[in-house]
Amino acid sequence: MTYNFAFASDSSSFAGDPFAVRHGKSLPAGLRAECSEMSWTEFEATYAAMSGPIRLGAWSSEKIAPGRWTYEATLGLGERIATGSATATGAISAMTSMLHDAGIALEILSFHQHQIGHRTATFIFTECNGRRNWAMGIGESATESSLRAMTSAANRFSN
């Protein structure tokens, strides 16, 4: 399966839990406490940082054996474009490996997903080099939203 990523935003303003106001489902408690006064625009800009120095272009997967897949990705890393690949049991472990190979040692400490209509929202609490951050990704599938969340987390740590 191949994905190409684009991310839209809405400039509407929301108070309280911006995700719950917008989608009717609560954020994870730690994230909810962190963003309680944010508008949706502020929330999305902070936690879904898809336009930073780390960008995910193409993503593909091929099953090679029961429970084993080969994943390939095109990653924008600052000013350069790199191709990454990993053999793993799932997309999240493959992306973790590709980010690590690019010098970003991202660890997922907490993982949450919500179905929002036909899409999926993924929230991850991550650690990199002793710093911790929440990130969000929304996509057409659980895999796409997870990859978006991981890309957003990598961008949050690059600041």
Side-chain angles (χ1 to χ4, degrees):
M1 182 169 281
T2 301
Y3 297 104
N4 283 308
F5 296 92
F7 205 71
S9 88
D10 182 350
S11 61
S12 300
S13 183
F14 297 89
D17 178 335
F19 190 80
V21 171
R22 188 166 182 85
H23 296 291
K25 298 187 180 189
S26 293
L27 290 168
L31 178 54
R32 189 171 50 245
E34 200 174 291
C35 68
S36 65
E37 300 300 318
M38 287 184 172
S39 69
W40 175 253
T41 301
E42 292 168 319
F43 177 81
E44 190 175 48
T46 301
Y47 298 102
M50 295 299 291
S51 61
I54 312 302
R55 299 164 319 278
L56 179 59
W59 178 269
S60 64
S61 61
E62 181 182 347
K63 188 173 187 170
I64 59 171
R68 302 290 290 171
W69 297 76
T70 297
Y71 297 90
E72 291 186 359
T74 303
L75 299 170
L77 304 167
E79 296 295 318
R80 67 184 183 92
I81 303 294
T83 301
S85 65
T87 299
T89 58
I92 295 168
S93 59
M95 182 67 160
T96 301
S97 176
M98 287 182 225
L99 288 172
H100 185 270
D101 291 347
I104 304 162
L106 184 72
E107 181 178 353
I108 298 174
L109 304 175
S110 185
F111 183 93
H112 306 267
Q113 285 188 322
H114 284 307
Q115 285 303 122
I116 50 172
H118 68 280
R119 300 183 309 161
T120 303
T122 299
F123 306 94
I124 55 175
F125 186 56
T126 56
E127 183 171 346
C128 184
N129 298 324
R131 293 173 48 207
R132 291 181 173 191
N133 281 319
W134 282 98
M136 176 189 77
I138 296 176
E140 298 299 314
S141 68
T143 297
E144 183 181 346
S145 70
S146 298
L147 296 173
R148 287 176 181 267
M150 293 178 76
T151 303
S152 176
N155 280 317
R156 294 203 68 210
F157 288 116
S158 70
N159 295 328

